[in-house]
């Protein structure tokens, strides 16, 4: 690995992966169906319109090499553009931000060093050591399949989306919450699984940005 990439990896991995945590993943529930409920088309259309938002919460990661947690200070989304700020408060370190659109990302480390790439997933993997399908995650976090690649949807007996399978990932929706008036319930906790990789997102707050300029 080049010296610069190694430096990014060490810094960013220390930020997110530091410490040892236990991330349990519940078994896939039985009784799921691929038959969408009667109101799914309308709900999906409403969620697709939800394109300007901000959330905060926590991130937990488990992979063969290491595990850890990070605070999501904010995740701002404006259409395809995003700005994601992460920190690990227990390490006493500053904020790391990811800003980008599909096909471009800029990563800013706590010391102010910036790195840009036309391959967002490759830069994130070089910096953290784990795969994060950021372009699809902006869809999955809303309870929608991403626009790239085939997918399968599974619904539970409450007619709620329970699982998305796409791009080799299985996204399990553990809890939903009516965060915003006028919108369907949004995911409050989800777990993305790919092989031995586990990424869990817990959302504590979510609101619509109403056309705010960053």
């Amino acid at each position: 690995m080049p010296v610069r990439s190694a430096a990014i990896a060490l810094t960013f991995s220390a930020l997110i992966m530091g410490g040892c945590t236990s991330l349990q993943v519940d078994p896939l529930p039985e009784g799921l169906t691929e038959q969408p409920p009667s109101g799914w088309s309308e709900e999906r259309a409403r969620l697709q319109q939800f394109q300007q938002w901000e959330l905060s919460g926590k991130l937990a990661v488990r992979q063969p090499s290491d595990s850890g947690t990070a605070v999501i200070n904010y995740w701002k989304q404006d259409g395809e553009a995003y700005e994601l700020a992460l920190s690990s408060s227990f390490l006493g370190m500053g904020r790391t931000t990811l800003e980008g659109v599909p096909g471009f990302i800029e990563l800013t480390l706590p010391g102010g060093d910036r790195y840009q790439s036309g391959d967002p997933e490759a830069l994130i993997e070089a910096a953290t050591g784990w795969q994060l399908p950021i372009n699809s995650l902006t869809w999955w976090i809303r309870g929608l399949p991403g626009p790239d690649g085939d997918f399968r949807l599974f619904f539970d007996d409450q007619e709620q989306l329970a699982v998305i399978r796409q791009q080799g990932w299985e996204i399990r929706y553990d809890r939903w919450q009516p965060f915003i008036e006028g919108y369907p319930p949004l995911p409050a906790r989800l777990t993305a699984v790919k092989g031995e990789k586990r990424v869990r997102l817990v959302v504590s707050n979510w609101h619509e940005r109403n056309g705010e300029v960053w």
Side-chain angles (χ1 to χ4, degrees), residues 82-180:
Y82 57 85
E83 180 180 349
L84 179 62
L86 303 173
S87 66
S88 291
S89 58
F90 62 88
L91 292 177
M93 298 184 68
R95 185 178 67 189
T96 294
T97 61
L98 303 171
E99 299 178 65
V101 294
F104 176 81
I105 192 172
E106 180 175 272
L107 183 150
T108 304
L109 297 175
D113 292 335
R114 295 185 178 185
Y115 302 90
Q116 298 178 341
S117 174
D119 188 340
E121 294 181 17
L123 180 59
I124 293 173
E125 186 170 7
T128 66
W130 46 272
Q131 299 177 35
L132 180 64
I134 186 67
N135 293 335
S136 294
L137 197 59
T138 60
W139 293 79
W140 295 342
I141 191 65
R142 288 178 287 162
L144 293 168
D148 300 323
D150 296 334
F151 59 85
R152 297 178 69 187
L153 306 179
F154 299 85
F155 300 85
D156 61 23
D157 57 5
Q158 302 298 312
E159 298 189 336
Q160 184 68 68
L161 179 65
V163 172
I164 295 177
R165 288 179 178 166
Q166 190 173 30
Q167 298 180 348
W169 289 88
E170 181 169 279
I171 301 87
R172 304 177 184 178
Y173 293 91
D174 306 311
R175 188 170 70 245
W176 297 78
Q177 187 171 326
F179 285 100
I180 303 174

